Amino acid sequence: MTKFDYDLFVIGGGSGGVRAGRLAAGLGKRVAIAEEYRFGGTCVIRGCVPKKLFVYASQFPEHFEDAAGYGWTVPEASFNWRDLVDNKDREIARLEGLYRKGLENAGAEIFEARATLVDRHTVEVGGRRVTADKILIAVGGRPNPHAALPGHEHCIFSNEAFDLAELPSAIIIEGGGYIAVEFANIFHGLGVDTTLVYRGKEILSRFDVDLRRELHATMEAKGIKILCHDVLTAVDKGSDGTLMAYLKSGKVLEAGQVMLAIGRIPNTDNLGLDAAGVETGKTGEIIVDDYSRTNVDNIWALGDVTNRVQLTPVAIHEAMGFVDTEFRGKPTKVDHDTIATAVFSQPEIGTVGLSEDEATHRFDRLEIYRASFRPMRHTLSGRQEKMLMKLVVDADSRVVVGAHVLGPDAGEMAQILGIALKARLTKDDFDRTMAVHPSAAEELVTMYQPSYRVEKGKRID
C-alpha cells in the first residue's frame, strides 16, 4: 500500500475547508490544511460577518429617529468610521482565532501558505512537496474584476469596502444582486450619497418579484438612487481623486468611490488543476458530482469554488457530507433544494423555496397568499415602511412551496420557515398553527384565504 504524508490535505481555510479538516482530524485522520491569507474565508474575513456588523451600524440613524415616537429624546449623534473598522477588525481576529484553535485541538497540521496541485496526490505548499491520499479543494471565490471596464483599476470591490481609509461623501455601486443591494443600504445608512446602477429591469433578479418591487420602492423612498437598465462604460479619476463614472445612458456621475458588485467567480486560477487532471467549467468552477467528487477519484471540491450554491451554510453541509461519505462510511449527498436565505437590506428579505414565477413553471395550479401591512414597531415612530409576506402553495397537494418575507427580522423568520418547507408542510398545517400575538410573524399562519390563484400561468383574482 502506498504511504502518503497525509490522509487528507485541504486547500483553503474557509468555513467549508475548516469544517472538513477539523471533523476528519477529529476522527483520527492525518490532516493538513493550507490557507494563504487568513482562516475563516470570505464569510468570516471579508463577507457575511463584517457585512452584518456594518448593517447593524448603518441602522442606528433610523433607530434614533424612531425613538422620539416612543418618548425618547436622543441627543445629536455622531459617527466615527475608523472606530467601526477597528472594532470590526478585533471581532474578525477573535473569530479567526477560534477557527485556528478548532483545527489545532483536533490535531490538524496548519500551513500558512499557498498550496497548488502538482499531480493527483502531490501538493506544493510553502516550498515543500507533500503527498496525500485524498485532497479537498475549498478555495472559494472572488469578486468578478470587470477587467473589460476602462478605469476598473480605480474601483473597489466588497473586499475593500470594509477597510476604506475614510468614508466617501458619495458612492456609485454597480450591480443588482444581494451584495450590491446590501452595500447600497449600508453606505446610505452611514450618510453616504448612494447610487445603484443595474443592467436589469429590477434589482435582485432571483427573488420573488413582489419583494423586489417593494424593496426597490422603499430604498428610493429612503433616498437611495436606483438606475436600472444601465451600466458603467468607463470610470475616470481626476487630479483631486474624484471619480467620474460614465453610463451607457449618457449620464455622468461623480463620486468618491465606485464599487463593482457584479458577481463572483471561482478562485481556481494558478491552482494546478490541469496538472492533476481536474475538470473545470466555463467560469472556472470545479465540476463535481452529488458527493462533491471531481473527475479525479481522490480529489473533491466544495463551496463557492464549485459554483453550485454560494452560501456559507451550504459549504459547511457539503463538508459534513464529504466527511460522512469518505471517513464514516455513510455516503451522503447534499440536498441543495429548498435552501433558506436572507438579504440584509433595509428592510431585509427572508426567503425559502420557489418564487411565484418559478412555481408557475412547475405547477399547474397555485394559490398565492399575500399580506402587506405596517408592522407594529412602526406605528408610534411614524415610519411608513410596509412589511410584505407571501406564501406560494401548490393547489393540488396543498404543500407550501415558497415563503417570502420583506420587513424587520425577515431573515430570522426565513430560518424557521426553512424547516417547515423542508418538511413539506401543507397550508393546512400552517392554518392549524396558533398565532403568536402581537407579532409580525403571526401573519404567516393567519392568511386563511388566497389573495389570488394561478392556473396554467394565468392569474385568477
Side-chain angles (χ1 to χ4, degrees), residues 139-305:
V139 295
R142 66 186 189 277
N144 185 338
H146 203 356
L149 175 70
H152 69 275
E153 67 274 12
H154 304 311
C155 303
I156 64 169
F157 302 93
S158 56
N159 293 358
E160 293 81 18
F162 295 115
D163 296 291
L164 296 174
E166 59 184 19
L167 204 58
S169 59
I171 190 168
I172 300 159
I173 301 174
E174 182 173 29
Y178 75 94
I179 295 175
V181 168
E182 288 174 339
F183 272 101
N185 282 273
I186 287 170
F187 281 112
H188 169 77
L190 297 178
V192 179
D193 183 353
T194 302
T195 301
L196 189 69
V197 178
Y198 179 49
R199 64 181 179 180
K201 65 180 180 180
E202 186 56 278
I203 58 174
L204 297 175
S205 62
R206 297 182 182 180
F207 291 79
D208 189 88
V209 67
D210 284 348
L211 273 66
R212 296 163 63 195
R213 289 170 178 165
E214 186 67 25
L215 177 60
H216 183 144
T218 304
M219 288 172 62
E220 288 194 321
K222 290 174 182 287
I224 299 172
K225 295 178 284 294
I226 301 177
L227 306 178
C228 290
H229 293 297
D230 216 343
V231 295
L232 300 185
T233 58
V235 177
D236 285 340
K237 187 173 185 178
S239 58
D240 63 351
T242 300
L243 299 180
M244 304 297 292
Y246 298 86
L247 277 60
K248 185 177 181 180
S249 62
K251 293 185 176 71
V252 181
L253 307 178
E254 183 178 309
Q257 294 285 355
V258 174
M259 176 177 166
L260 303 179
I262 53 174
R264 296 177 62 82
I265 57 177
N267 204 20
T268 50
D269 291 352
N270 304 314
L271 197 57
L273 297 178
D274 289 342
V278 177
E279 291 183 357
T280 58
K282 61 182 181 180
T283 63
E285 77 277 12
I286 297 177
I287 299 171
V288 294
D289 65 13
D290 292 339
Y291 298 93
S292 297
R293 191 193 301 266
T294 72
N295 63 298
V296 181
D297 63 10
N298 72 298
I299 299 178
W300 289 259
L302 55 81
D304 290 2
V305 75

Side-chain angles (χ1 to χ4, degrees), residues 369-377 387-391 405 408-409 413 416-417 427 429-449:
Y369 297 79
R370 188 180 185 279
S372 178
F373 57 95
R374 192 177 176 198
M376 190 174 184
R377 72 166 63 184
M387 191 156 195
L388 176 62
M389 294 189 176
K390 185 174 181 179
L391 297 177
V405 181
D409 303 317
M413 294 185 208
I416 305 304
L417 286 166
K427 184 61 170 63
D429 294 321
F430 276 60
D431 293 344
R432 284 196 298 269
T433 303
M434 296 291 186
V436 176
H437 182 75
S439 70
E442 68 182 297
E443 292 289 334
L444 293 167
V445 298
T446 57
M447 295 186 286
Y448 298 117
Q449 296 297 321

Side-chain angles (χ1 to χ4, degrees), residues 343-354:
V343 179
F344 294 104
S345 48
Q346 299 174 41
E348 67 187 49
I349 284 175
T351 183
V352 59
L354 303 177

